[in-house]
Amino acid sequence: MLRESMQSGGKQVDVRGVTRGFEDGVDIPHAVGLAGFAEAVVRRDAARVAAWREQLRPLLGDAGLVDAAAVIGAFHGFVRIADAIGIPYTTAARGEDAPEIRERAGVNEFYRVRGQGA
């Protein structure tokens, strides 16, 4: 989704940032902070979530911060729901996801580490 939204806006993004972290020069406004906020939510680190929220609020505004939190929560929830009901990753997108993007972003490595294959 990130790759497609960037391409539709005529921009490029290195999808490896999804798993390796974004650098300040990436062409996504506030990417480092948004990635840090998402990581803190996924790790359930309340102190870091609060710190990122306070750092991002002046940059995004209240409405932007709520939007960011909603997107993070939704995506985190989708994964947890799929895991809870036993939907294997290998059937995601009916098997029609982009394997080259999965490999470049490092998603396959994540699943290899967890012993689930890719």
Side-chain angles (χ1 to χ4, degrees):
M1 290 179 71
L2 172 62
R3 178 187 63 123
E4 292 302 319
S5 68
M6 293 297 287
Q7 285 181 346
S8 71
K11 299 179 180 182
Q12 295 293 318
V13 66
D14 184 350
V15 294
R16 291 176 294 189
V18 172
T19 54
R20 297 179 185 167
F22 290 106
E23 297 179 9
D24 286 325
V26 71
D27 197 12
I28 301 171
H30 317 300
V32 173
L34 290 167
F37 186 31
E39 185 72 21
V41 169
V42 170
R43 292 183 182 273
R44 298 179 182 201
D45 185 331
R48 284 180 54 211
V49 168
W52 279 115
R53 218 176 24 237
E54 291 311 308
Q55 185 174 344
L56 289 167
R57 180 175 280 124
L59 301 172
L60 305 176
D62 289 339
L65 182 62
V66 168
D67 287 349
V71 170
I72 292 166
F75 275 92
H76 186 54
F78 298 154
V79 172
R80 294 182 63 77
I81 290 167
D83 287 348
I85 61 176
I87 297 174
Y89 172 75
T90 54
T91 63
R94 287 178 249 133
E96 297 177 17
D97 64 343
E100 69 280 0
I101 302 240
R102 231 185 17 246
E103 187 64 40
R104 183 162 174 81
V107 172
N108 290 344
E109 188 59 32
F110 170 76
Y111 284 96
R112 277 192 283 274
V113 168
R114 289 186 62 196
Q116 297 179 7

